[in-house]
Amino acid sequence: MPSISKKGHQMPESPIRKLAPYAEKAVKQGKKIYHLNIGQPDIKTPDIALKAISNHSLKILEYSSSNGSEQYRKKIANYYSKHKIDVNQDEIIVTTGGSEALLFAFGSILDTDDEVIIPEPFYANFNSFSTASGAKIVPVISKIEDNFALPPIEEFEKLITSKTKAILICNPGNPTGYLYSKEEINKLAKIVIKHDLFLIADEVYREFIYDENEHYSILREPNLENHAIVIDSVSKRYSMCGARIGCIVSKNKEVIKTALKFAQARLSPPTLAQIACEAALDTPQSYFDEVKNEYVKRRNILIDGLQKIDGIKVAKPKGAFYCIVELPINNADNFAQWLLESFDVDGETIMVAPAAGFYSTPNVGLNQIRLAYVLNEKSLKKSISILEKALKIYKE
């Protein structure tokens, strides 16, 4: 039989989605599942975006430009200006989700065996994208005991080698909710300038910042024009995960020129989705105020509830809508599967994401899970109760 590629074998399974077959089986058995495993908000998509699809006047669903429609890119640039970020439409390429934006970024700057320094735990697909690009992740370790605060920025510098091409951060972070301060961004900027590296920031959760904190984009950092690459997406901002529209943003002309070649190879981003996303940019601020208040309430319900369960450690997020939870067990993969296959409370159970897949360091995070607080208050409280009861009877 023909053989699968080494790269194919090395591609990691998604810790977020790999348990889906067990969930499907549980549903067929009549169980109700509370999905804490995936960042799919139950927040309503803005009406203005949905109406744009319903009311479009297209007669032919044509290709768009490879870098996205100019009208949409101009509106994206205007959106950034409201966040004190100065870019124009020629410094933006529209992509099929933030995932493709990161793939374009990696493809544009990384060669086989190049290294990317990433604080861990990190978004699980960073592992997949680095494997697909033939690059190596070099992790900077943060710990739940320290609320996943970064070690001194100088620790990044110790990891730089001749193969290092970039530092990648997620701000605020998935899966920890960690928020980088302006001072930390300043220090990272100095390091990448000193060592002539790229600084890539996944900023898709920019709107979701809590407790009077503020988001500071790397694109606001002076003297970083040739080093900064931002990954963005509409998925969480407007609760439009299924639109699959994101973008890569950089003032480095060579990065954009190179990323455009990757964009041309896949032809164009979805035309209809861009229409919806262009309309979504006119969403009033009141929508975001309400959504943010809702996530703060959900975060507090989840964190307060988890802290009352014996043996659990949990870090309080400052942004996004995820948290890492350390459980009094040895193997979260087995526990997550058991929850779906063998446990329920009155026909209900929960689905969680084992956290080992959010690390590149072997055998780290084995007793941790990531939870997404994207469910309503009643569902979150029920989920906490189910988790507490499950831990009382679970046997390794």
Side-chain angles (χ1 to χ4, degrees):
M1 185 173 103
S3 61
I4 299 299
S5 68
K6 291 180 181 178
K7 186 183 293 184
H9 283 297
Q10 291 168 355
M11 281 290 285
E13 287 185 297
S14 167
I16 304 165
R17 296 175 179 267
K18 69 180 182 181
L19 294 169
Y22 301 103
E24 291 168 2
K25 185 176 180 181
V27 170
K28 289 178 181 178
Q29 293 171 345
K31 293 182 184 179
K32 177 179 179 178
I33 299 175
Y34 293 97
H35 287 271
L36 304 175
N37 62 304
I38 193 166
Q40 172 59 68
D42 66 355
I43 303 294
K44 192 176 184 300
T45 302
D47 286 336
I48 194 170
L50 298 176
K51 287 178 180 177
I53 300 174
S54 301
N55 300 332
H56 73 79
S57 58
L58 294 177
K59 301 300 182 185
I60 301 174
L61 198 56
E62 299 178 337
Y63 290 121
S64 75
S65 300
S66 290
N67 56 353
S69 92
E70 183 175 13
Q71 185 173 322
Y72 178 41
R73 286 184 287 115
K74 284 181 177 178
K75 288 192 72 171
I76 297 174
N78 183 58
Y79 157 82
Y80 283 126
S81 69
K82 296 176 182 177
H83 290 268
K84 302 176 184 177
I85 298 170
D86 179 25
V87 294
N88 63 55
Q89 70 269 18
D90 295 327
E91 295 163 338
I92 300 168
I93 294 178
V94 180
T95 58
T96 309
S99 299
E100 188 177 69
L102 192 60
L103 282 169
F104 287 179
F106 275 14
S108 298
I109 69 171
L110 296 175
D111 289 311
T112 302
D113 295 329
D114 279 345
E115 296 175 351
V116 183
I117 298 173
I118 312 179
E120 68 173 9
F122 47 71
Y123 175 47
N125 277 341
F126 290 171
N127 264 328
S128 301
F129 299 146
S130 63
T131 300
S133 301
K136 177 186 176 183
I137 290 177
V138 178
V140 175
I141 309 298
S142 62
K143 298 180 180 179
I144 195 168
E145 290 80 8
D146 302 321
N147 214 38
F148 292 110
L150 286 183
I153 294 295
E154 292 72 23
E155 293 298 312
F156 284 80
E157 195 161 21
K158 294 178 183 177
L159 299 173
I160 295 173
T161 71
S162 60
K163 293 185 177 181
T164 307
K165 291 295 293 290
I167 295 174
L168 169 60
I169 62 174
C170 187
N171 186 33
N174 172 8
T176 65
Y178 185 80
L179 179 68
Y180 288 74
S181 67
K182 180 179 179 181
E183 291 70 28
E184 287 174 320
I185 298 295
N186 291 160
K187 290 181 179 179
L188 285 172
K190 290 177 181 176
I191 290 173
V192 298
I193 291 171
K194 177 181 176 182
H195 295 276
D196 202 23
L197 307 175
F198 289 102
L199 178 58
I200 309 172
D202 180 334
E203 298 185 356
V204 305
Y205 299 97
R206 184 183 298 109
E207 263 72 20
F208 309 120
I209 309 296
Y210 315 128
D211 306 326
E212 307 303 321
N213 291 299
E214 292 186 5
H215 182 264
Y216 184 74
S217 172
I218 64 169
L219 291 172
R220 294 176 60 187
E221 186 66 22
N223 305 315
L224 210 58
E225 290 84 358
N226 288 325
H227 303 267
I229 302 172
V230 159
I231 307 302
D232 212 340
S233 170
V234 305
S235 291
K236 318 300 181 178
R237 182 169 301 133
Y238 305 106
S239 195
M240 294 174 65
C241 298
R244 306 314 305 135
I245 293 290
C247 62
I248 178 173
V249 188
S250 181
K251 300 185 80 68
N252 184 313
K253 290 181 173 56
E254 284 300 308
V255 167
I256 293 297
K257 179 181 177 182
T258 306
L260 181 57
K261 290 189 282 187
F262 287 90
Q264 290 169 342
R266 64 82 165 99
L267 304 185
S268 68
T271 299
L272 233 121
Q274 287 182 81
I275 291 173
C277 295
E278 183 180 333
L281 285 166
D282 293 325
T283 301
Q285 182 59 40
S286 58
Y287 173 88
F288 298 107
D289 294 339
E290 292 174 9
V291 170
K292 181 176 175 179
N293 289 336
E294 179 65 21
Y295 279 131
V296 169
K297 182 173 71 173
R298 293 178 180 189
R299 179 199 63 171
N300 293 343
I301 287 170
L302 181 62
I303 300 301
D304 292 347
L306 291 172
Q307 288 176 337
K308 294 174 183 176
I309 300 177
D310 289 342
I312 274 184
K313 293 180 183 177
V314 60
K316 188 173 184 179
K318 293 182 180 179
F321 39 66
Y322 308 98
C323 65
I324 290 288
V325 185
E326 190 165 289
L327 303 176
I329 61 173
N330 294 322
N331 189 301
D333 279 273
N334 293 341
F335 178 65
Q337 184 175 331
W338 174 82
L339 285 170
L340 295 170
E341 282 192 313
S342 307
F343 179 78
D344 67 86
V345 178
D346 298 326
E348 298 181 335
T349 190
I350 58 175
M351 189 172 181
V352 302
F358 295 88
Y359 293 83
S360 63
T361 304
N363 301 317
V364 175
L366 296 178
N367 62 339
Q368 296 176 354
I369 57 175
R370 187 197 72 168
L371 300 181
Y373 44 96
V374 292
L375 305 180
N376 60 51
E377 178 178 345
K378 181 180 178 181
S379 296
L380 280 176
K381 289 181 177 179
K382 179 60 71 71
S383 299
I384 295 166
S385 174
I386 290 172
L387 177 62
E388 183 175 22
K389 291 174 181 176
L391 287 171
K392 286 180 178 178
I393 67 169
Y394 179 67
K395 304 296 181 184
E396 297 283 359

